[in-house]
Amino acid sequence: HRKRHLGDSIVARCFAVVTLALVGFKLSWNFFHFVFTTFLGSWLNLNLNLTDYGPWSVVTGSTDGIGKAYAHKLASMGINVVLISRSSSKLQATAREIQTLYPLVRVKTVAIDFTGDRSIYKAIASELMDLDVGILINNVGMNPGFCQPFTDLEDENVLDDIIHCNVLSMARMTHMILPGMIRRDRGVILNIGSISGAFATPLATVYAATKAFVDKFSRDLTTELGGTGVIVQTVLPGYVMTNMLNDTTFSKSSWTVPNPQDFVEANFRTLGLESRTASFWYHKLMLSFCETTCFLFPDAFSFFARKHLEGLRVASGPLNSLSFTK
Ligand SMILES: NC(=O)c1ccc[n+]([C@@H]2O[C@H](COP(=O)([O-])OP(=O)(O)OC[C@H]3O[C@@H](n4cnc5c(N)ncnc54)[C@H](OP(=O)(O)O)[C@@H]3O)[C@@H](O)[C@H]2O)c1
């Protein structure tokens, strides 16, 4: 009996030691991975050099916010840019800005509203036909009714618009440009999702669901393209100080809410080092923390996520269509 007891306690101790060693290894690995992909890798010049991937880039939603910052960054590296966005006047203004700063870079503009029907893709394809596109940034996205209950979206057409703009645009643009990249055996595709697509986000249900699609599509495509020369990265930003935060309590950039330029710099540091990333150091920590908490305590996480989004509403009036729950 004593021998069996001794045997049991040795097994229990071994189990505890192995568990602690595995947890310790995982935590050390996560820490090293964070430091390497966020700072060290790019400092050692191990991240991608985008100029190796072709003379042209395409950025959707490129007249404001993060997309505009991507366009400027690519042009600063000497890469030609096709700007695709909704408003012609903003396209012209952005093209002029880039050409003034980088006179050797060619800029092409395509005025398209991604909420339109499928004919828009024929129009885009005819504009891109003769270009050697090495970089595609699927950035365009809209988020009307952020921090509002789903049923407060009064115009039901908005639902079609969000899905067309955030989901279909990415799949269609990738389907259009990817075959050329595979033929040339080189290409980089960045799909801009959102941290909100990775876990429960009440009060942004449709938007967050479109971003979950971006995440899943992009991760699976990364694996499917293994062995080709095409690299796909899923980008999951946290809050970035752009027009998208207009109806929230955020009013200026800070160490937790970067401006679009700082976000893009951080993202380029991770290229080739990570296939799925929140890019900016604080967003990376937030993603890890939220994914772990959501996994361990899903109900508590959803409750606090809802409280957080309610707190972000500028107009702190009642949540109209949910007021009956009070
Ligand atoms: N900002 C954040 O906190 C945040 C966080 C996570 C993820 N993201 C994602 O990052 C991406 C960029 O967001 P952002 O904050 O930079 O947005 P933004 O400042 O609102 O800029 C959006 C850009 O897309 C264009 N656009 C919007 N709707 C369009 C449409 N239907 N057709 C064609 N172009 C359209 C806009 O052009 P016009 O100016 O002509 O409308 C503008 O150039 C989005 O996918 C967003 O979901 C943003």
Side-chain angles (χ1 to χ4, degrees):
H1 182 76
R2 267 187 63 199
K3 260 191 193 162
R4 225 182 79 201
H5 182 71
L6 192 66
D8 284 353
S9 94
I10 290 174
V11 169
R13 275 181 207 187
C14 287
F15 183 72
V17 168
V18 169
T19 307
L20 279 178
L22 284 175
V23 171
F25 175 75
K26 177 71 179 144
L27 289 176
S28 315
W29 171 255
N30 283 4
F31 176 73
F32 170 76
H33 188 260
F34 172 80
V35 173
F36 180 72
T37 56
T38 316
F39 308 110
L40 193 61
S42 58
W43 187 69
L44 295 170
N45 273 330
L46 295 174
N47 53 337
L48 291 188
N49 179 358
L50 287 183
T51 56
D52 295 340
Y53 286 82
W56 280 93
S57 59
V58 171
V59 186
T60 65
S62 38
T63 49
D64 230 317
I66 300 174
K68 186 172 174 179
Y70 272 121
H72 270 264
K73 179 69 189 168
L74 289 161
S76 75
M77 299 164 82
I79 298 169
N80 304 320
V81 200
V82 182
L83 307 171
I84 309 184
S85 242
R86 183 163 44 181
S87 126
S88 296
S89 56
K90 283 175 81 173
L91 278 167
Q92 295 322 315
T94 308
R96 263 197 309 277
E97 268 173 36
I98 293 179
Q99 278 175 326
T100 310
L101 287 168
Y102 314 104
L104 297 180
V105 166
R106 292 169 65 195
V107 182
K108 201 173 155 76
T109 59
V110 183
I112 286 288
D113 186 336
F114 280 105
T115 62
D117 63 21
R118 42 181 82 157
S119 66
I120 61 173
Y121 294 100
K122 271 200 179 138
I124 298 175
S126 71
E127 295 282 350
L128 302 183
M129 206 161 50
D130 300 324
L131 304 182
D132 173 349
V133 177
I135 299 144
L136 167 63
I137 305 192
N138 285 312
N139 163 78
V140 73
M142 54 195 284
N143 187 8
F146 186 40
C147 309
Q148 303 288 338
F150 174 63
T151 41
D152 281 4
L153 289 171
E154 278 160 13
D155 175 0
E156 66 270 17
N157 295 325
V158 167
L159 298 176
D160 304 37
D161 290 350
I162 301 176
I163 293 168
H164 277 111
C165 182
N166 297 10
V167 172
L168 203 57
S169 72
M170 183 195 54
R172 292 291 301 254
M173 291 302 298
T174 304
H175 196 257
M176 186 188 303
I177 290 174
L178 181 57
M181 290 178 164
I182 293 175
R183 257 197 319 276
R184 292 187 288 271
D185 204 23
R186 55 170 164 75
V188 175
I189 300 176
L190 303 190
N191 292 322
I192 315 302
S194 161
I195 210 168
S196 67
F199 40 75
T201 317
L203 302 181
T205 51
V206 188
Y207 172 78
T210 65
K211 294 301 180 177
F213 179 99
V214 173
D215 191 7
K216 171 87 175 113
F217 169 85
S218 194
R219 278 194 285 165
D220 290 348
L221 194 63
T222 304
T223 314
E224 187 173 310
L225 292 174
T228 72
V230 182
I231 290 166
V232 179
Q233 191 190 54
T234 316
V235 184
L236 308 175
Y239 296 119
V240 179
M241 202 56 231
T242 70
N243 290 340
M244 208 170 257
L245 299 186
N246 277 353
D247 293 332
T248 69
T249 48
F250 291 112
S251 57
K252 59 178 178 15
S253 57
S254 66
W255 62 277
T256 60
V257 183
N259 62 42
Q261 294 75 21
D262 289 343
F263 179 79
V264 166
E265 289 291 340
N267 175 232
F268 274 23
R269 283 197 288 273
T270 69
L271 286 180
L273 305 178
E274 281 182 298
S275 60
R276 180 178 183 263
T277 180
S279 302
F280 183 68
W281 70 271
Y282 181 78
H283 296 175
K284 282 182 164 195
L285 295 179
M286 204 165 105
L287 180 63
S288 289
F289 174 78
C290 292
E291 279 184 332
T292 311
T293 318
C294 199
F295 173 71
L296 294 174
F297 314 105
D299 293 339
F301 182 88
S302 303
F303 174 80
F304 285 111
R306 176 177 164 167
K307 289 283 158 221
H308 167 68
L309 284 162
E310 280 177 15
L312 278 190
R313 290 155 52 88
V314 169
S316 54
L319 299 171
N320 296 336
S321 64
L322 292 185
S323 44
F324 64 88
T325 62
K326 297 233 161 86

